[in-house]
């Protein structure tokens, strides 16, 4: 399955011949999951297609709400629930927060030790990226891999946050956390209220914007590495503020896609281990938003 982080390709709960796709839906005109009524998503539904967890060419998963010929409801213990997603997301984020706190306290960022601490942070961040890529291309979730990613990403975030907070913008880390929580809450409320409509057009627009954004940032990084300074200036000054806001908005859009995928996975009776993938995607998206906020605050307060 592919990653839900904006840096990597999106991962959906549906599968087609063993490859991940984005949000396939129930058969148009068929019964809705858990009911005997017509499919409410039929007709103009842009997701109309096969239920990724129904019988067919794909791997078969029974409808957790179905009843057998004796009227006995099938067990649902092996199906993903919202509680599963919440618990695994809390575990993943908790691991990240604990290692970030430890890195903050035990990897000093004073003048004498900043080089060593920053080197450890960069190494942890690179290994975390490799682990994220490995998990993104795996067909099944690996809890150990996901938690290892969270732990190493936490080390990276802890040191970077401490550097920004100590040397650039006092209180930046807490402000970035508050900003990330505000975006998460706002997107969740907007999604539940139906103000955000996640469909294929929305997905295509977000993916195109994200790929363009990442490409520009990669070019800017190359110019910074080989030319020195801030590269093309996309991450400093006025342009840095503009691109920081765009980065936060992209993260918010990916949160909406994450919520849609969780909702679909629960409705379709996804296997319980899929909740680890949901937690993985949500964690990566929240890390993205936090880093964009941290960069924005550093630019705004650093210019004072």
């Amino acid at each position: 399955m592919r990653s839900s982080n904006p840096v990597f390709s999106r991962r959906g709960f549906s599968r087609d011949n063993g490859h991940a796709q984005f949000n396939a839906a129930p058969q148009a005109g068929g019964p809705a999951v858990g009911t005997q009524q017509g499919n409410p998503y039929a007709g103009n539904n842009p997701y109309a297609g096969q239920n990724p967890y129904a019988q067919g060419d794909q791997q078969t998963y029974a409808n957790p709400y179905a009843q057998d010929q004796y009227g006995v409801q099938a067990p649902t213990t092996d199906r993903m629930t919202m509680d599963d997603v919440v618990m695994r997301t809390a575990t993943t984020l908790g691991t990240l927060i604990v290692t970030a706190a430890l890195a903050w306290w035990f990897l000093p960022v004073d003048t004498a030790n900043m080089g060593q601490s920053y080197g450890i942070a960069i190494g942890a961040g690179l290994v975390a990226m490799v682990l994220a890529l490995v998990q993104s291309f795996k067909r099944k979730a690996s809890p150990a891999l996901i938690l290892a990613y969270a732990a190493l990403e936490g080390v990276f975030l802890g040191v970077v946050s401490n550097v920004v907070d100590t040397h650039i913008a006092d209180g930046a880390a807490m402000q970035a956390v508050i900003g990330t929580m505000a975006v998460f809450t706002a997107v969740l409320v907007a999604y539940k209220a139906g103000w955000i409509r996640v469909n294929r057009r929305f997905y295509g627009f977000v993916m195109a914007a994200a790929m363009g954004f990442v490409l520009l940032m990669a070019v800017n990084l190359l110019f910074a590495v080989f030319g020195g300074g801030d590269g093309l200036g996309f991450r400093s000054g006025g342009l840095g503020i503009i691109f920081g806001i765009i980065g936060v908005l992209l993260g918010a859009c990916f949160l909406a896609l994450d919520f849609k995928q969780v909702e679909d996975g629960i409705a379709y009776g996804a296997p319980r281990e899929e909740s680890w993938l949901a937690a993985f995607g949500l964690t990566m998206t929240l890390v993205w938003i936090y880093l964009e906020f941290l960069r924005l605050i550093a630019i705004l307060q650093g210019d004072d």
Side-chain angles (χ1 to χ4, degrees):
M1 285 192 174
R2 291 173 290 198
S3 168
S4 103
N5 184 273
V7 177
F8 310 117
S9 16
R10 291 297 300 179
R11 181 197 64 248
F13 285 110
S14 58
R15 295 183 178 86
D16 183 15
N17 296 328
H19 298 285
Q21 288 186 337
F22 174 75
N23 290 339
Q27 179 69 36
V33 176
T35 73
Q36 299 298 324
Q37 302 173 352
N39 179 2
Y41 304 104
N44 295 325
N45 176 16
Y47 296 98
Q50 292 294 330
N51 178 349
Y53 303 103
Q55 296 180 358
D57 294 335
Q58 293 88 8
Q59 186 176 356
T60 299
Y61 300 102
N63 178 357
Y65 302 104
Q67 296 181 345
D68 59 19
Q69 63 269 33
Y70 302 106
V72 178
Q73 184 171 329
T76 60
T77 55
D78 60 341
R79 303 302 168 204
M80 185 174 78
T81 65
M82 185 58 70
D83 287 344
D84 293 329
V85 176
V86 170
M87 289 183 61
R88 281 150 181 78
T89 302
T91 301
T92 306
L93 285 176
T95 300
L96 186 148
I97 292 170
V98 167
T99 56
L102 291 174
W104 183 296
W105 287 106
F106 294 107
L107 292 177
V109 294
D110 57 332
T111 305
N113 297 290
M114 184 186 298
Q116 179 180 358
S117 297
Y118 217 74
I120 294 174
I122 296 298
L126 290 174
V127 175
M129 181 179 293
V130 171
L131 293 179
L133 284 169
V134 171
Q135 177 58 71
S136 298
F137 288 101
K138 285 173 64 69
R139 293 188 179 183
K140 293 185 178 181
S142 171
L145 202 62
I146 292 171
L147 292 177
Y149 155 78
L152 291 169
E153 191 70 29
V155 173
F156 172 75
L157 292 180
V159 174
V160 170
S161 299
N162 197 5
V163 169
V164 173
D165 206 84
T166 302
H167 298 283
I168 301 176
D170 185 33
M174 182 56 65
Q175 293 174 43
V177 169
I178 294 173
T180 303
M181 293 173 61
V183 170
F184 179 87
T185 303
V187 174
L188 179 60
V189 171
Y191 180 83
K192 296 300 290 183
W195 300 337
I196 300 177
R197 306 288 296 186
V198 178
N199 51 33
R200 288 196 180 278
R201 180 177 299 178
F202 180 88
Y203 168 73
F205 170 79
V206 174
M207 279 302 301
M211 287 188 289
F213 183 87
V214 172
L215 180 61
L216 283 175
M217 294 307 102
V219 171
N220 185 72
L221 179 62
L222 288 175
F223 273 87
V225 171
F226 295 104
D230 293 328
L232 298 177
F234 291 154
R235 284 313 209 179
S236 61
L239 278 178
I241 294 173
I242 294 173
F243 277 97
I245 293 173
I246 293 173
V248 171
L249 292 176
L250 281 174
C253 290
F254 275 94
L255 273 179
L257 294 179
D258 287 329
F259 295 153
K260 174 64 175 173
Q261 290 175 343
V262 170
E263 184 178 60
D264 286 348
I266 294 173
Y268 291 139
R272 193 172 189 179
E273 60 267 20
E274 296 278 345
S275 58
W276 277 109
L277 292 176
F280 175 60
L282 284 167
T283 300
M284 294 182 74
T285 302
L286 290 173
V287 167
W288 167 280
I289 296 172
Y290 173 81
L291 285 173
E292 291 300 324
F293 267 119
L294 193 66
R295 193 188 308 272
L296 262 175
I297 295 166
I299 293 173
L300 292 171
Q301 296 192 20
D303 291 338
D304 291 343

PDB file of all heavy atoms in Angstrom, residues 65-87:
ATOM      1  N   TYR A  65     -21.699  -7.157   8.742  1.00  0.00           N
ATOM      2  CA  TYR A  65     -23.079  -6.990   9.162  1.00  0.00           C
ATOM      3  C   TYR A  65     -23.991  -8.059   8.562  1.00  0.00           C
ATOM      4  O   TYR A  65     -25.183  -8.057   8.819  1.00  0.00           O
ATOM      5  CB  TYR A  65     -23.594  -5.609   8.744  1.00  0.00           C
ATOM      6  CG  TYR A  65     -22.755  -4.506   9.322  1.00  0.00           C
ATOM      7  CD1 TYR A  65     -21.844  -3.820   8.534  1.00  0.00           C
ATOM      8  CD2 TYR A  65     -22.853  -4.156  10.666  1.00  0.00           C
ATOM      9  CE1 TYR A  65     -21.068  -2.814   9.062  1.00  0.00           C
ATOM     10  CE2 TYR A  65     -22.082  -3.152  11.206  1.00  0.00           C
ATOM     11  CZ  TYR A  65     -21.192  -2.490  10.397  1.00  0.00           C
ATOM     12  OH  TYR A  65     -20.423  -1.493  10.918  1.00  0.00           O
ATOM     13  N   ALA A  66     -23.414  -8.925   7.759  1.00  0.00           N
ATOM     14  CA  ALA A  66     -24.239  -9.929   7.096  1.00  0.00           C
ATOM     15  C   ALA A  66     -24.699 -10.993   8.090  1.00  0.00           C
ATOM     16  O   ALA A  66     -24.066 -11.241   9.113  1.00  0.00           O
ATOM     17  CB  ALA A  66     -23.455 -10.571   5.951  1.00  0.00           C
ATOM     18  N   GLN A  67     -25.807 -11.650   7.779  1.00  0.00           N
ATOM     19  CA  GLN A  67     -26.321 -12.732   8.602  1.00  0.00           C
ATOM     20  C   GLN A  67     -26.310 -14.017   7.799  1.00  0.00           C
ATOM     21  O   GLN A  67     -26.433 -14.006   6.570  1.00  0.00           O
ATOM     22  CB  GLN A  67     -27.756 -12.423   9.052  1.00  0.00           C
ATOM     23  CG  GLN A  67     -27.854 -11.196   9.959  1.00  0.00           C
ATOM     24  CD  GLN A  67     -29.274 -10.927  10.399  1.00  0.00           C
ATOM     25  OE1 GLN A  67     -30.222 -11.462   9.824  1.00  0.00           O
ATOM     26  NE2 GLN A  67     -29.431 -10.111  11.425  1.00  0.00           N
ATOM     27  N   ASP A  68     -26.129 -15.135   8.500  1.00  0.00           N
ATOM     28  CA  ASP A  68     -26.159 -16.410   7.788  1.00  0.00           C
ATOM     29  C   ASP A  68     -27.602 -16.870   7.622  1.00  0.00           C
ATOM     30  O   ASP A  68     -28.553 -16.154   7.944  1.00  0.00           O
ATOM     31  CB  ASP A  68     -25.324 -17.455   8.550  1.00  0.00           C
ATOM     32  CG  ASP A  68     -25.833 -17.691   9.966  1.00  0.00           C
ATOM     33  OD1 ASP A  68     -27.009 -17.343  10.249  1.00  0.00           O
ATOM     34  OD2 ASP A  68     -25.070 -18.238  10.787  1.00  0.00           O
ATOM     35  N   GLN A  69     -27.785 -18.113   7.098  1.00  0.00           N
ATOM     36  CA  GLN A  69     -29.137 -18.599   6.828  1.00  0.00           C
ATOM     37  C   GLN A  69     -29.966 -18.817   8.079  1.00  0.00           C
ATOM     38  O   GLN A  69     -31.188 -18.946   8.012  1.00  0.00           O
ATOM     39  CB  GLN A  69     -29.064 -19.913   6.027  1.00  0.00           C
ATOM     40  CG  GLN A  69     -28.391 -21.068   6.777  1.00  0.00           C
ATOM     41  CD  GLN A  69     -26.903 -21.124   6.528  1.00  0.00           C
ATOM     42  OE1 GLN A  69     -26.272 -20.081   6.356  1.00  0.00           O
ATOM     43  NE2 GLN A  69     -26.352 -22.327   6.476  1.00  0.00           N
ATOM     44  N   TYR A  70     -29.310 -18.810   9.234  1.00  0.00           N
ATOM     45  CA  TYR A  70     -30.027 -18.987  10.499  1.00  0.00           C
ATOM     46  C   TYR A  70     -30.307 -17.645  11.183  1.00  0.00           C
ATOM     47  O   TYR A  70     -30.800 -17.620  12.309  1.00  0.00           O
ATOM     48  CB  TYR A  70     -29.221 -19.876  11.452  1.00  0.00           C
ATOM     49  CG  TYR A  70     -28.925 -21.240  10.855  1.00  0.00           C
ATOM     50  CD1 TYR A  70     -27.650 -21.547  10.402  1.00  0.00           C
ATOM     51  CD2 TYR A  70     -29.944 -22.207  10.725  1.00  0.00           C
ATOM     52  CE1 TYR A  70     -27.372 -22.791   9.850  1.00  0.00           C
ATOM     53  CE2 TYR A  70     -29.663 -23.452  10.160  1.00  0.00           C
ATOM     54  CZ  TYR A  70     -28.380 -23.735   9.729  1.00  0.00           C
ATOM     55  OH  TYR A  70     -28.111 -24.960   9.171  1.00  0.00           O
ATOM     56  N   GLY A  71     -29.947 -16.534  10.514  1.00  0.00           N
ATOM     57  CA  GLY A  71     -30.205 -15.218  11.086  1.00  0.00           C
ATOM     58  C   GLY A  71     -29.199 -14.812  12.129  1.00  0.00           C
ATOM     59  O   GLY A  71     -29.427 -13.876  12.885  1.00  0.00           O
ATOM     60  N   VAL A  72     -28.050 -15.511  12.196  1.00  0.00           N
ATOM     61  CA  VAL A  72     -27.027 -15.189  13.180  1.00  0.00           C
ATOM     62  C   VAL A  72     -26.029 -14.231  12.548  1.00  0.00           C
ATOM     63  O   VAL A  72     -25.506 -14.494  11.464  1.00  0.00           O
ATOM     64  CB  VAL A  72     -26.295 -16.465  13.654  1.00  0.00           C
ATOM     65  CG1 VAL A  72     -25.195 -16.094  14.650  1.00  0.00           C
ATOM     66  CG2 VAL A  72     -27.291 -17.431  14.279  1.00  0.00           C
ATOM     67  N   GLN A  73     -25.795 -13.111  13.218  1.00  0.00           N
ATOM     68  CA  GLN A  73     -24.876 -12.130  12.676  1.00  0.00           C
ATOM     69  C   GLN A  73     -23.450 -12.629  12.776  1.00  0.00           C
ATOM     70  O   GLN A  73     -23.041 -13.214  13.773  1.00  0.00           O
ATOM     71  CB  GLN A  73     -25.011 -10.811  13.440  1.00  0.00           C
ATOM     72  CG  GLN A  73     -24.143  -9.694  12.870  1.00  0.00           C
ATOM     73  CD  GLN A  73     -24.468  -8.376  13.518  1.00  0.00           C
ATOM     74  OE1 GLN A  73     -25.604  -8.142  13.911  1.00  0.00           O
ATOM     75  NE2 GLN A  73     -23.478  -7.520  13.643  1.00  0.00           N
ATOM     76  N   ALA A  74     -22.679 -12.396  11.717  1.00  0.00           N
ATOM     77  CA  ALA A  74     -21.293 -12.840  11.683  1.00  0.00           C
ATOM     78  C   ALA A  74     -20.461 -12.056  12.688  1.00  0.00           C
ATOM     79  O   ALA A  74     -20.754 -10.902  12.987  1.00  0.00           O
ATOM     80  CB  ALA A  74     -20.717 -12.636  10.277  1.00  0.00           C
ATOM     81  N   PRO A  75     -19.411 -12.649  13.234  1.00  0.00           N
ATOM     82  CA  PRO A  75     -18.566 -11.943  14.193  1.00  0.00           C
ATOM     83  C   PRO A  75     -17.841 -10.785  13.513  1.00  0.00           C
ATOM     84  O   PRO A  75     -17.506 -10.843  12.344  1.00  0.00           O
ATOM     85  CB  PRO A  75     -17.572 -13.025  14.654  1.00  0.00           C
ATOM     86  CG  PRO A  75     -17.561 -14.042  13.554  1.00  0.00           C
ATOM     87  CD  PRO A  75     -18.954 -14.037  12.993  1.00  0.00           C
ATOM     88  N   THR A  76     -17.600  -9.740  14.296  1.00  0.00           N
ATOM     89  CA  THR A  76     -16.976  -8.540  13.732  1.00  0.00           C
ATOM     90  C   THR A  76     -15.625  -8.224  14.388  1.00  0.00           C
ATOM     91  O   THR A  76     -15.087  -7.144  14.192  1.00  0.00           O
ATOM     92  CB  THR A  76     -17.903  -7.331  13.930  1.00  0.00           C
ATOM     93  OG1 THR A  76     -18.117  -7.139  15.335  1.00  0.00           O
ATOM     94  CG2 THR A  76     -19.235  -7.538  13.233  1.00  0.00           C
ATOM     95  N   THR A  77     -15.079  -9.149  15.135  1.00  0.00           N
ATOM     96  CA  THR A  77     -13.856  -8.867  15.885  1.00  0.00           C
ATOM     97  C   THR A  77     -12.657  -8.658  14.980  1.00  0.00           C
ATOM     98  O   THR A  77     -11.666  -8.072  15.411  1.00  0.00           O
ATOM     99  CB  THR A  77     -13.566 -10.024  16.860  1.00  0.00           C
ATOM    100  OG1 THR A  77     -13.514 -11.257  16.121  1.00  0.00           O
ATOM    101  CG2 THR A  77     -14.647 -10.111  17.918  1.00  0.00           C
ATOM    102  N   ASP A  78     -12.707  -9.152  13.746  1.00  0.00           N
ATOM    103  CA  ASP A  78     -11.562  -9.011  12.860  1.00  0.00           C
ATOM    104  C   ASP A  78     -11.735  -7.856  11.883  1.00  0.00           C
ATOM    105  O   ASP A  78     -11.014  -7.751  10.898  1.00  0.00           O
ATOM    106  CB  ASP A  78     -11.314 -10.304  12.085  1.00  0.00           C
ATOM    107  CG  ASP A  78     -12.513 -10.702  11.230  1.00  0.00           C
ATOM    108  OD1 ASP A  78     -13.623 -10.203  11.504  1.00  0.00           O
ATOM    109  OD2 ASP A  78     -12.326 -11.492  10.291  1.00  0.00           O
ATOM    110  N   ARG A  79     -12.714  -6.977  12.118  1.00  0.00           N
ATOM    111  CA  ARG A  79     -12.959  -5.848  11.230  1.00  0.00           C
ATOM    112  C   ARG A  79     -12.530  -4.534  11.891  1.00  0.00           C
ATOM    113  O   ARG A  79     -12.620  -4.376  13.108  1.00  0.00           O
ATOM    114  CB  ARG A  79     -14.442  -5.768  10.852  1.00  0.00           C
ATOM    115  CG  ARG A  79     -14.987  -7.019  10.205  1.00  0.00           C
ATOM    116  CD  ARG A  79     -14.218  -7.374   8.943  1.00  0.00           C
ATOM    117  NE  ARG A  79     -14.531  -8.707   8.471  1.00  0.00           N
ATOM    118  CZ  ARG A  79     -13.727  -9.438   7.701  1.00  0.00           C
ATOM    119  NH1 ARG A  79     -12.533  -8.957   7.365  1.00  0.00           N
ATOM    120  NH2 ARG A  79     -14.073 -10.630   7.297  1.00  0.00           N
ATOM    121  N   MET A  80     -12.095  -3.618  11.076  1.00  0.00           N
ATOM    122  CA  MET A  80     -11.639  -2.326  11.579  1.00  0.00           C
ATOM    123  C   MET A  80     -12.804  -1.512  12.127  1.00  0.00           C
ATOM    124  O   MET A  80     -13.866  -1.445  11.517  1.00  0.00           O
ATOM    125  CB  MET A  80     -10.955  -1.551  10.457  1.00  0.00           C
ATOM    126  CG  MET A  80     -10.330  -0.249  10.909  1.00  0.00           C
ATOM    127  SD  MET A  80      -9.383   0.560   9.587  1.00  0.00           S
ATOM    128  CE  MET A  80     -10.716   1.291   8.629  1.00  0.00           C
ATOM    129  N   THR A  81     -12.597  -0.910  13.274  1.00  0.00           N
ATOM    130  CA  THR A  81     -13.588  -0.021  13.871  1.00  0.00           C
ATOM    131  C   THR A  81     -12.934   1.328  14.154  1.00  0.00           C
ATOM    132  O   THR A  81     -11.698   1.465  14.100  1.00  0.00           O
ATOM    133  CB  THR A  81     -14.137  -0.597  15.185  1.00  0.00           C
ATOM    134  OG1 THR A  81     -13.065  -0.649  16.157  1.00  0.00           O
ATOM    135  CG2 THR A  81     -14.705  -2.002  14.986  1.00  0.00           C
ATOM    136  N   MET A  82     -13.759   2.314  14.470  1.00  0.00           N
ATOM    137  CA  MET A  82     -13.212   3.631  14.810  1.00  0.00           C
ATOM    138  C   MET A  82     -12.343   3.552  16.054  1.00  0.00           C
ATOM    139  O   MET A  82     -11.327   4.254  16.165  1.00  0.00           O
ATOM    140  CB  MET A  82     -14.354   4.631  15.009  1.00  0.00           C
ATOM    141  CG  MET A  82     -13.878   6.053  15.251  1.00  0.00           C
ATOM    142  SD  MET A  82     -12.843   6.687  13.906  1.00  0.00           S
ATOM    143  CE  MET A  82     -14.092   6.850  12.608  1.00  0.00           C
ATOM    144  N   ASP A  83     -12.736   2.709  17.020  1.00  0.00           N
ATOM    145  CA  ASP A  83     -11.920   2.543  18.224  1.00  0.00           C
ATOM    146  C   ASP A  83     -10.527   2.029  17.879  1.00  0.00           C
ATOM    147  O   ASP A  83      -9.527   2.466  18.467  1.00  0.00           O
ATOM    148  CB  ASP A  83     -12.600   1.574  19.194  1.00  0.00           C
ATOM    149  CG  ASP A  83     -13.807   2.184  19.883  1.00  0.00           C
ATOM    150  OD1 ASP A  83     -13.932   3.426  19.845  1.00  0.00           O
ATOM    151  OD2 ASP A  83     -14.626   1.431  20.440  1.00  0.00           O
ATOM    152  N   ASP A  84     -10.449   1.096  16.920  1.00  0.00           N
ATOM    153  CA  ASP A  84      -9.147   0.582  16.490  1.00  0.00           C
ATOM    154  C   ASP A  84      -8.285   1.698  15.919  1.00  0.00           C
ATOM    155  O   ASP A  84      -7.095   1.819  16.237  1.00  0.00           O
ATOM    156  CB  ASP A  84      -9.332  -0.514  15.431  1.00  0.00           C
ATOM    157  CG  ASP A  84      -9.984  -1.761  15.987  1.00  0.00           C
ATOM    158  OD1 ASP A  84      -9.772  -2.057  17.175  1.00  0.00           O
ATOM    159  OD2 ASP A  84     -10.711  -2.435  15.235  1.00  0.00           O
ATOM    160  N   VAL A  85      -8.883   2.522  15.059  1.00  0.00           N
ATOM    161  CA  VAL A  85      -8.134   3.621  14.439  1.00  0.00           C
ATOM    162  C   VAL A  85      -7.658   4.608  15.497  1.00  0.00           C
ATOM    163  O   VAL A  85      -6.495   5.040  15.485  1.00  0.00           O
ATOM    164  CB  VAL A  85      -9.006   4.342  13.388  1.00  0.00           C
ATOM    165  CG1 VAL A  85      -8.260   5.551  12.825  1.00  0.00           C
ATOM    166  CG2 VAL A  85      -9.396   3.390  12.264  1.00  0.00           C
ATOM    167  N   VAL A  86      -8.544   4.958  16.443  1.00  0.00           N
ATOM    168  CA  VAL A  86      -8.187   5.921  17.478  1.00  0.00           C
ATOM    169  C   VAL A  86      -7.059   5.373  18.361  1.00  0.00           C
ATOM    170  O   VAL A  86      -6.069   6.072  18.654  1.00  0.00           O
ATOM    171  CB  VAL A  86      -9.415   6.271  18.340  1.00  0.00           C
ATOM    172  CG1 VAL A  86      -9.003   7.087  19.556  1.00  0.00           C
ATOM    173  CG2 VAL A  86     -10.445   7.040  17.510  1.00  0.00           C
ATOM    174  N   MET A  87      -7.167   4.117  18.769  1.00  0.00           N
ATOM    175  CA  MET A  87      -6.168   3.521  19.656  1.00  0.00           C
ATOM    176  C   MET A  87      -4.807   3.427  18.975  1.00  0.00           C
ATOM    177  O   MET A  87      -3.774   3.748  19.572  1.00  0.00           O
ATOM    178  CB  MET A  87      -6.626   2.135  20.118  1.00  0.00           C
ATOM    179  CG  MET A  87      -7.777   2.164  21.105  1.00  0.00           C
ATOM    180  SD  MET A  87      -8.227   0.515  21.675  1.00  0.00           S
ATOM    181  CE  MET A  87      -6.707  -0.017  22.448  1.00  0.00           C
TER     182      MET A  87
END
